[in-house]
Amino acid sequence: MFSLFKFGKKRSNQYVAASAPAQSTSTELIEKTSQPTVASGSISHQDLYSGSTPLPAGKQLKLQLAVCYLPHPEKVHYGGEDAHFISDYGGGMMGVADGVGGWQESGVNPADYSRTLMLMSRAYLEGNDIFQEQAASRHGVLIDPRGALEAAHMNTKVPGSATACVMQLDQANGVLAAANLGDSGFLVIRDGKELIRSKPLQHYFDCPLQFGAFPEFVEATDTADMADLYSITLRPGDVIVAGTDGLWDNCYLSEIIAMSPRSPADAQSSADAIAATARRHASDTEFASPYTREALSQGLDLPWWDKLLGMSFKGGKLHLKQLTGGKMDDITVLVAFVEATDIPPPPAPPSAEAQMDSGAADAASGVPAPAPAQ
């Protein structure tokens, strides 16, 4: 099995992957939308509000989320190096990160960095933990996946490095907003076909862009402003599959699409099946995996003596052995099924009886009752 060690290197030129085709957006829609809150300097209105699909009155989109995580067999004892989060907040959001295993050589648990990065990303979007005071001024749900990566990067001060991808539903506009740095990523499926897949960002083969704690523990780091941003208009029935390179290196898109859920109730079984398939391919030394195919395209192959020792006759011709096999790794699979749900009714105003009870309580505590309206 061929493998290269992944490490960070500062990139001079930013590669930007193409996102979904932008559709026209009316200024009226943007001005009348009170939610979500969009962080300044992160995602522009033009990118974010791209052709929202009208839903029936009283309906909104929601993500039914599921996850399956299979650590590398040799890393089960400490939980592997991948990290993730899923949350129903704002209709649904999720994130995934892949810690760089080379830190083990320095006596560092690579999972510490990836786990902290995901904890901080979630806390930023939900307005919890160290971001509570900052969130107090928000009006609505913050839609800012790139900002989440930046905030997490700035506040993760432990040894290590990791790739990361954060996705969240802009429930008010029916849009998936996503930011991806490195070779983790996501796929959106519609009507059993690929709608869009994020592109891996790499310095070179097997060396993805990644976050690291600079200058405390690394000489240079890639940053959130180098991440690819995506805004994809969703429809009920769409499926989002996200994961670390343990998924994408071992499964083809056609396999993932075939195992995608057909209903919200299928999300967990779909995540389990996709992860199990990736692990089976990772263990198969004869499988022509996406990873080894990409290695061959980069001019990387077995040494000549291995090619000779493994040669065989097929179809009356002599064939030298080629690089094959999956890539054993941590495997994280997140699945989200997009469904239309009822918008919950606004909270009812307090009843006259409740107001009287409140006034009585205030009188008992010495708090003056409010003056009557003029």
Side-chain angles (χ1 to χ4, degrees), residues 6-8 81-84 95-101 103 110 113-118 121 149 152-153 160-166 179-185 199-203 206-212 221-222 227 243-246 248 327 329-330 332:
K6 294 191 284 189
F7 63 97
E81 296 155 2
D82 283 2
H84 69 271
V96 64
D98 181 1
V100 176
W103 282 91
Y113 191 89
S114 57
R115 290 170 186 168
T116 306
L117 198 70
M118 288 293 95
S121 296
L149 291 180
H153 186 204
S161 51
T163 66
C165 181
V166 169
N180 180 61
L181 185 100
D183 56 4
S184 295
K199 292 187 177 181
L201 301 182
Q202 302 186 97
H203 296 290
D206 220 19
C207 180
L209 273 66
Q210 59 204 248
F211 295 113
T221 179
D222 298 309
T244 53
D245 62 343
W248 311 114
K327 179 186 176 186
D329 202 349
D330 298 327
T332 300

Side-chain angles (χ1 to χ4, degrees), residues 271-292:
D272 294 342
I274 294 171
T277 301
R279 174 52 52 84
R280 184 173 68 253
H281 288 334
S283 305
D284 185 351
T285 58
E286 299 302 316
F287 178 61
S289 67
Y291 179 78
T292 50

Side-chain angles (χ1 to χ4, degrees), residues 63-231:
L63 303 183
Q64 181 63 45
L65 298 159
V67 61
C68 182
Y69 175 40
L70 302 177
H72 189 297
E74 297 176 1
K75 302 173 182 178
V76 173
H77 63 286
Y78 65 88
E81 296 155 2
D82 283 2
H84 69 271
F85 73 84
I86 57 175
S87 171
D88 292 330
Y89 183 80
M93 60 184 188
M94 54 186 174
V96 64
D98 181 1
V100 176
W103 282 91
Q104 283 184 319
E105 298 176 7
S106 302
V108 171
N109 182 352
D112 290 344
Y113 191 89
S114 57
R115 290 170 186 168
T116 306
L117 198 70
M118 288 293 95
L119 285 171
M120 290 290 101
S121 296
R122 177 174 182 171
Y124 173 82
L125 294 174
E126 293 183 342
N128 295 327
D129 201 353
I130 63 173
F131 304 106
Q132 281 185 326
E133 183 176 346
Q134 176 184 341
S137 60
R138 291 182 188 171
H139 299 286
V141 177
L142 177 66
I143 303 298
D144 190 12
R146 190 202 66 82
L149 291 180
E150 181 177 29
H153 186 204
M154 293 298 100
N155 290 281
T156 301
K157 299 301 182 182
V158 296
S161 51
T163 66
C165 181
V166 169
M167 298 143 283
Q168 62 178 145
L169 174 64
D170 171 4
Q171 197 171 39
N173 296 282
V175 168
L176 176 70
N180 180 61
L181 185 100
D183 56 4
S184 295
F186 68 93
L187 164 71
V188 179
I189 302 166
R190 176 172 295 167
D191 298 328
K193 299 177 182 179
E194 173 192 350
L195 180 66
I196 186 171
R197 181 194 166 183
S198 62
K199 292 187 177 181
L201 301 182
Q202 302 186 97
H203 296 290
Y204 46 84
F205 177 66
D206 220 19
C207 180
L209 273 66
Q210 59 204 248
F211 295 113
F214 169 84
E216 293 87 348
F217 302 107
V218 296
E219 295 180 357
T221 179
D222 298 309
T223 55
D225 62 345
M226 303 168 78
D228 280 344
L229 305 182
Y230 298 84
S231 57

